């Protein structure tokens, strides 16, 4: 029986195996969108640090116990809680290559540290008012700050419960996490509102010009908006999955 001639147009299997099969695709470089988003996030980190330094500088011009209140509240909400939102950004320059478990643990650490700063800041303002016989929670800023602290406590409790095994007759883990995210967004919004209102109190009006306080309020709101956008999208995705 005559041997079958091999078609010269057919590629050599060995060549295919050695050249393309099993070869890992070359990693793609960052695109323009990732670069722009990364720059925006980096700017947010820089603005957060600059705002904290500014508030601390103005607060310690005339030193007393109350001087600790603005920096601690700013550190709690504008640094630690904002960073706790920013680390979940998919294009985060800090955590984009981290495993999910590490990101969640870092979020917990940032939020707990932020709450400790807020609690210490609340102690400072309560102490100075007790010493001087001033009324507590008599202004919009102080009432908003109190609500922010209460919501932060509830958010922390929700996060703790989400780490536990859910009761068979109670809400599901997805429902608990959805409630935790909802409370976290509410607590952050009220906390940032209290921070912005604090720029326009009598205390700050004696230390900082009105134009600079307006600038601080606008910058703080912009940074908070960047942090909230991804959190709100995450809440929407969780709610959609839960209802579907």
């Amino acid at each position: 029986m005559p041997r079958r001639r091999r078609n010269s147009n057919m590629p050599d299997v060995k060549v295919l195996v050695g050249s393309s099969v099993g070869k890992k695709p070359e990693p793609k470089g960052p695109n323009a969108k990732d670069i722009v988003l990364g720059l925006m996030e980096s700017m947010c980190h820089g603005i957060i640090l600059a705002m904290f330094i500014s508030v601390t500088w103005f607060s310690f011009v005339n030193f007393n116990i109350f001087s600790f209140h603005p920096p601690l509240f700013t550190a709690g909400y504008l640094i630690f809680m904002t960073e706790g939102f920013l680390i979940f950004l998919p294009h985060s320059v800090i955590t984009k290559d981290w495993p999910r478990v590490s990101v969640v643990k870092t979020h917990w650490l940032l939020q707990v540290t932020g709450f400790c700063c807020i609690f210490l800041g609340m102690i400072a303002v309560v102490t100075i008012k007790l010493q001087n016989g001033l009324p507590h929670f008599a202004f919009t800023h102080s009432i908003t700050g109190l609500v922010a602290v209460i919501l932060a406590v509830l958010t922390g409790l929700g996060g703790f419960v989400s780490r536990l095994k859910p009761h068979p007759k109670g809400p599901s883990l997805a429902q608990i996490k959805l409630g935790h995210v909802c409370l976290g967004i509410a607590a952050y919004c009220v906390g940032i509102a209290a921070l912005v209102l604090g720029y326009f109190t009598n205390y700050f009006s004696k230390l900082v010009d009105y134009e600079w306080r307006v600038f601080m309020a606008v910058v703080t709101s912009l940074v908070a908006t960047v942090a909230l956008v991804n959190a709100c999208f995450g809440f929407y995705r969780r709610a959609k999955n839960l209802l579907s």
Side-chain angles (χ1 to χ4, degrees):
M1 184 176 180
R3 294 185 64 184
R4 203 171 179 187
R5 289 187 65 184
R6 182 174 171 223
N7 191 347
S8 58
N9 295 326
M10 292 180 61
D12 193 345
V13 176
K14 294 181 179 180
V15 175
L16 286 175
V17 172
S19 60
S20 59
V21 178
K23 187 177 180 181
K24 295 182 180 180
E26 295 182 1
K28 297 181 180 179
N31 53 37
K33 179 183 176 182
D34 292 337
I35 294 174
V36 171
L37 292 176
L39 287 174
M40 288 179 60
E41 186 197 352
S42 299
M43 288 177 61
C44 287
H45 296 311
I47 291 171
I48 289 170
L49 181 60
M51 290 295 297
F52 173 71
I53 293 173
S54 299
V55 171
T56 304
W57 176 267
F58 294 136
S59 300
F60 282 91
V61 171
N62 299 317
F63 177 76
N64 53 43
I65 296 178
F66 185 81
S67 300
F68 291 100
H69 174 68
L72 285 170
F73 218 92
T74 303
Y77 270 103
L78 196 58
I79 294 182
F80 295 108
M81 292 202 172
T82 301
E83 294 293 345
F85 280 110
L86 292 177
I87 62 172
F88 285 109
L89 291 174
H91 56 271
S92 174
V93 296
I94 299 175
T95 61
K96 65 179 180 180
D97 295 325
W98 290 15
R100 177 73 179 182
V101 175
S102 300
V103 176
V104 173
K105 287 182 178 179
T106 305
H107 171 76
W108 264 90
L109 180 62
L110 289 170
Q111 300 304 87
V112 170
T113 306
F115 177 76
C116 290
C117 290
I118 294 167
F119 182 72
L120 292 174
M122 185 66 74
I123 290 177
V125 69
V126 169
T127 301
I128 198 69
K129 288 195 173 187
L130 287 174
Q131 289 180 349
N132 293 277
L134 299 173
H136 297 280
F137 312 113
F139 303 99
T140 305
H141 164 67
S142 55
I143 295 173
T144 308
L146 176 62
V147 174
V149 172
I150 294 173
L151 288 174
V153 173
L154 294 176
T155 303
L157 291 175
F160 177 75
V161 172
S162 68
R163 305 291 294 176
L164 304 176
K165 186 177 180 180
H167 194 274
K169 296 183 179 180
S172 64
L173 182 60
Q175 291 173 329
I176 295 173
K177 288 186 175 181
L178 182 65
H180 171 64
V181 173
C182 182
L183 280 172
I185 292 173
Y188 183 74
C189 289
V190 178
I192 292 297
L195 201 61
V196 171
L197 289 171
Y199 299 150
F200 298 96
T201 56
N202 292 331
Y203 177 80
F204 256 89
S205 63
K206 298 175 182 178
L207 301 173
V208 189
D209 294 335
Y210 178 77
E211 293 77 9
W212 182 250
R213 286 182 283 138
V214 171
F215 174 75
M216 292 170 66
V218 171
V219 170
T220 300
S221 301
L222 288 176
V223 171
T225 301
V226 173
L228 279 171
V229 167
N230 187 65
C232 290
F233 275 119
F235 174 78
Y236 170 76
R237 288 191 296 268
R238 286 182 180 274
K240 185 178 179 181
N241 292 335
L242 187 63
L243 296 174
S244 60

